[in-house]
Amino acid sequence: MRRRRKGHGKGRDTTVARFAQGRANEAVVLAESSLVGERRVSFLRLAVLGLLAFTQGILAELTGESYRPVMDWERRLAIGAYALFALTAFIVLRFQKPHANKARWFPLPTTVVDTGFFSYMAWHTWDRVSHFDAGMLAASLGMVLAFSVARYSWLHVLLSTTLSSAAYALLAWITSHGSPARVSFVVFCYVALGALIALTNAEVGGMFLNLRRRDSLSRFLPKQVVERVMQLGDVSLEPVQREVTILFSDIRDFTALSETLQPRQVLELLDEYFGHMSHIVMARDGIVNKFLGDGMLACWGVPDHRDDHAELAMRAALDMRARLEELNAHREQQGQPRLRIGIGLHTGVVAAGMLGGAEQHEYTVIGDAVNLASRVEGLTKELGVDILVSESTWRQGGGRFAGERLTETHVKGRREAVVVYTLEGRLPAEEAQPLVPVIPAVAGT
């Protein structure tokens, strides 16, 4: 019992490691997006400095502006320090690599500096010439708040909203400009803008992560499993034991055929063939578990349980036969040899779940039923048919199909004889028999 618990714990540790790796990857994706956003903010910060110099210097001189800020040493020092900060941030961000921790803390000091600079400029002007430009301050702080569109977390948006609102309210109170009604309206606008930015960032970020996660999962998981993970979370990948129907197929005499083709031609042939057959499996609500050279393993009944998994698998086998005829007709027109395939079906209990470590893994099915399905497929060549169905599969789905009991034979690795049936086609609706209740597959059938 101790050994079983120990092994089970290791399996759970492996699963936890995979999920932890997935969350770490999501954090890196967010950090990459945040870094791109901060780079844009750094460029915009330099552009704002240039605009400030142009509007309050050159443009004010050309238009004969009556009010011009006092350019004493304190104001020059503040502008110079902020320009140095903006240039340094621009350069540092150009060479910085994405990092989750840096994405969290980097916006904090920059937000404080941005808010502090524009607040100081407004206070300095009021202190020197008793002029308070509420519109200029509101626009400047609103721009700082808008910078948070590119930020990593809603906490950054909260910080920008709080600092902008507090700075405007404090300066309005110090300078005695603006009634409480006007100040509260500006602050409310900041809060509303901050809330909108935070909600939009969260929604867009969630959509972006879901798309990235769906794309990543689709690289090694069947479509049905991906949808299950997206809906139920990582817990849906935990191992389950369930009765399923397994389909094995391969291309007859493929080794001899591949010897007459270039490697690229072999790859193109398999790509076209598997593309068609995979589409059939998924159209019949099955999952393609893996490709094995010129062979394919598919199954029905996982990750979601279905009572009609045997019938669906038999329908898929017939569809594959029909599609192969279409492919062969096209190949003959191109002067290429016909393809022949063998398909074996078996229903039995398997374990389904994730297999592998944190770096590389796949969703698979394991059990004696998988091995027997492979043996049944191997009998197709020996018995001269293209589709064979084991007795357990026929018992569950054969009432709706035409076929006959072909033989009872022994296969490698099993002491019990295996009964197999041919699969000729679907019966007309008036001749189809109701499905029998689902019962556990009997060993050797």
Side-chain angles (χ1 to χ4, degrees):
M1 293 297 293
R2 290 182 180 177
R3 290 184 179 179
R4 289 185 66 183
R5 281 195 292 266
K6 183 177 181 181
H8 181 66
K10 288 183 178 180
R12 290 178 63 87
D13 291 344
T14 302
T15 302
V16 170
R18 284 197 296 263
F19 297 157
Q21 181 66 39
R23 288 190 291 270
N25 291 338
E26 291 178 359
V28 171
V29 170
L30 286 176
E32 291 175 350
S33 176
S34 179
L35 180 58
V36 172
E38 287 296 332
R39 287 172 176 170
R40 292 171 180 168
V41 169
S42 67
F43 175 79
L44 183 59
R45 188 180 289 115
L46 290 173
V48 168
L49 273 174
L51 180 63
L52 187 66
F54 173 75
T55 57
Q56 297 194 8
I58 300 175
L59 188 60
E61 179 70 26
L62 293 176
T63 58
E65 186 76 30
S66 58
Y67 155 72
R68 298 179 65 182
V70 178
M71 293 297 294
D72 57 9
W73 69 270
E74 293 178 356
R75 191 179 188 89
R76 294 179 186 277
L77 179 62
I79 295 176
Y82 187 68
L84 180 61
F85 158 77
L87 184 60
T88 302
F90 180 82
I91 295 174
V92 169
L93 288 169
R94 285 293 167 268
F95 296 97
Q96 182 174 305
K97 295 182 179 180
H99 192 280
N101 289 333
K102 292 180 179 179
R104 291 188 183 96
W105 68 258
F106 191 86
L108 303 181
T110 58
T111 301
V112 173
V113 172
D114 289 334
T115 305
F117 171 72
F118 290 109
S119 300
Y120 173 79
M121 296 293 283
W123 175 84
H124 179 271
T125 301
W126 173 81
D127 184 65
R128 296 299 186 271
V129 296
S130 299
H131 179 82
F132 179 67
D133 194 335
M136 181 73 73
L137 177 63
S140 301
L141 296 178
M143 180 187 61
V144 173
L145 177 55
F147 286 170
S148 58
V149 171
R151 295 285 152 76
Y152 179 82
S153 168
W154 64 270
L155 291 174
H156 301 147
V157 183
L158 177 62
L159 177 64
S160 299
T161 304
T162 302
L163 290 179
S164 297
S165 301
Y168 185 87
L170 180 61
L171 283 171
W173 176 71
I174 291 175
T175 60
S176 301
H177 283 78
S179 64
R182 293 185 177 182
V183 173
S184 61
F185 177 77
V186 174
V187 171
F188 175 79
C189 289
Y190 285 158
V191 173
L193 179 60
L196 179 61
I197 292 174
L199 292 174
T200 303
N201 281 2
E203 184 175 354
V204 173
M207 292 173 57
F208 178 67
L209 284 180
N210 284 338
L211 288 173
R212 287 291 296 264
R213 192 180 191 199
R214 186 185 296 274
D215 179 67
S216 298
L217 290 172
S218 300
R219 297 178 187 275
F220 66 92
L221 292 179
K223 177 182 177 181
Q224 296 92 324
V225 181
V226 172
E227 295 300 327
R228 188 178 179 88
V229 173
M230 297 301 296
Q231 293 177 7
L232 304 179
D234 298 333
V235 68
S236 60
L237 294 179
E238 292 182 356
V240 296
Q241 184 169 303
R242 186 176 296 158
E243 185 182 65
V244 302
T245 297
I246 305 294
L247 180 150
F248 251 104
S249 73
D250 76 348
I251 302 177
R252 299 271 180 82
D253 303 320
F254 184 76
T255 301
L257 175 63
S258 62
E259 290 177 352
T260 65
L261 303 174
Q262 295 295 324
R264 182 183 180 88
Q265 294 175 312
V266 175
L267 184 62
E268 291 174 349
L269 168 61
L270 290 176
D271 183 59
E272 180 184 16
Y273 168 76
F274 284 136
H276 287 284
M277 300 308 166
S278 298
H279 179 75
I280 290 173
V281 171
M282 290 185 287
R284 292 297 184 183
D285 296 326
I287 66 172
V288 178
N289 185 248
K290 63 185 65 176
F291 301 121
L292 306 165
D294 61 308
M296 181 179 72
L297 168 61
C299 55
W300 284 258
V302 288
D304 296 315
H305 173 71
R306 294 196 58 152
D307 292 334
D308 58 346
H309 52 82
E311 180 185 356
L312 290 171
M314 296 171 76
R315 289 187 180 188
L318 293 174
D319 292 342
M320 292 171 64
R321 172 193 282 165
R323 183 62 56 85
L324 183 65
E325 286 299 319
E326 296 175 3
L327 289 176
N328 280 332
H330 177 72
R331 288 178 62 82
E332 288 180 337
Q333 292 178 357
Q334 303 295 323
Q336 299 172 339
R338 293 174 60 87
L339 297 179
R340 295 183 302 122
I341 64 173
I343 301 174
L345 297 171
H346 175 64
T347 299
V349 178
V350 301
M354 297 297 296
L355 187 65
E359 299 298 329
Q360 184 173 355
H361 42 271
E362 66 176 3
Y363 186 86
T364 190
V365 290
I366 296 177
D368 181 66
V370 180
N371 299 328
L372 185 52
S374 176
R375 301 302 184 197
V376 171
E377 186 278 322
L379 291 174
T380 58
K381 186 174 183 180
E382 178 182 333
L383 299 176
V385 294
D386 60 342
I387 302 177
L388 282 178
V389 180
S390 73
E391 188 173 28
S392 61
T393 303
W394 187 263
R395 186 168 55 241
Q396 293 198 30
R400 297 176 180 274
F401 298 89
E404 62 180 10
R405 175 171 169 156
L406 187 60
T407 186
E408 180 176 348
T409 184
H410 287 83
V411 296
K412 183 178 179 181
R414 297 184 66 87
R415 289 180 296 180
E416 300 87 355
V418 176
V419 178
V420 292
Y421 292 74
T422 60
L423 183 61
E424 305 299 336
R426 296 189 62 185
L427 290 173
E430 59 273 10
E431 298 181 22
Q433 302 175 12
L435 295 179
V436 299
V438 178
I439 58 176
V442 179
T445 61

